Amino acid sequence: LGATICTPRSPACGICPWREPCAGRAAGIAAGLPARAAKAPKPVRHGWVYVAQDAGGRVLTVTRPDRGLLGGMRALPSSDWAPILPDPGPPMPAAWQAAGEVRHTFTHFHLVLRVMAARVTGFAGAPGLPVAAPEAARAMPTVFAKALRLGLGGAGVANGA
């Protein structure tokens, strides 16, 4: 009956064999049944992301672990994503400055990343690969491209993300 007579948008109560005992029809709420359950709120995770740029316009990028969300993709160095903001852990010593926050929603959680930016003289000893900012932005997932734009102040990646 639910697929043909008692449909949520336009119930055909007049031809329903359960018309008389139907509590929804009697209460005048048949058109609103079945009521959709409220979605559970998505959890929020927090983390740090680091934008290190040298004088040549290159930024430090890393490859994310093969397993997990965004596995194997090019990204900016970042912390773990946790319900409580983890301790910062920059990828290299530098004069890190807060650049703001990036918010992104995945299918099963919201992510808030605090973006830290620094100008560096080089990337010696830093884990990862220096890449020109526009190419880096094109090669990484949206959440990291957003963080890159914010960390660079919106400059240098106009054609990349």
Side-chain angles (χ1 to χ4, degrees):
L1 290 177
T4 57
I5 295 176
C6 194
T7 62
R9 291 198 179 120
S10 58
C13 295
I15 61 170
C16 181
W18 289 95
R19 179 172 188 213
E20 292 307 316
C22 178
R25 187 196 58 77
I29 60 169
L33 298 175
R36 292 188 177 185
K39 289 184 179 180
K42 291 181 183 183
V44 178
R45 295 186 187 168
H46 302 269
W48 298 91
V49 63
Y50 300 93
V51 179
Q53 182 182 34
D54 70 4
R58 298 180 309 162
V59 293
L60 183 64
T61 65
V62 297
T63 301
R64 291 190 49 85
D66 286 335
R67 291 184 174 228
L69 194 61
L70 308 176
M73 299 184 85
R74 179 68 45 196
L76 296 170
S78 67
S79 68
D80 288 336
W81 303 342
I84 297 172
L85 185 65
D87 291 335
M92 59 191 290
W96 295 100
Q97 301 280 325
E101 285 186 349
V102 169
R103 295 175 179 269
H104 191 80
T105 298
F106 292 97
T107 56
H108 54 290
F109 68 94
H110 299 291
L111 178 63
V112 178
L113 292 175
R114 292 194 183 174
V115 180
M116 301 298 287
R119 288 286 198 164
V120 297
T121 57
F123 300 104
L129 176 68
V131 178
E135 286 78 20
R138 281 191 293 271
M140 57 183 59
T142 302
V143 65
F144 290 108
K146 287 185 209 178
L148 179 59
R149 281 194 304 273
L150 182 60
L152 298 177
V157 292
N159 296 325

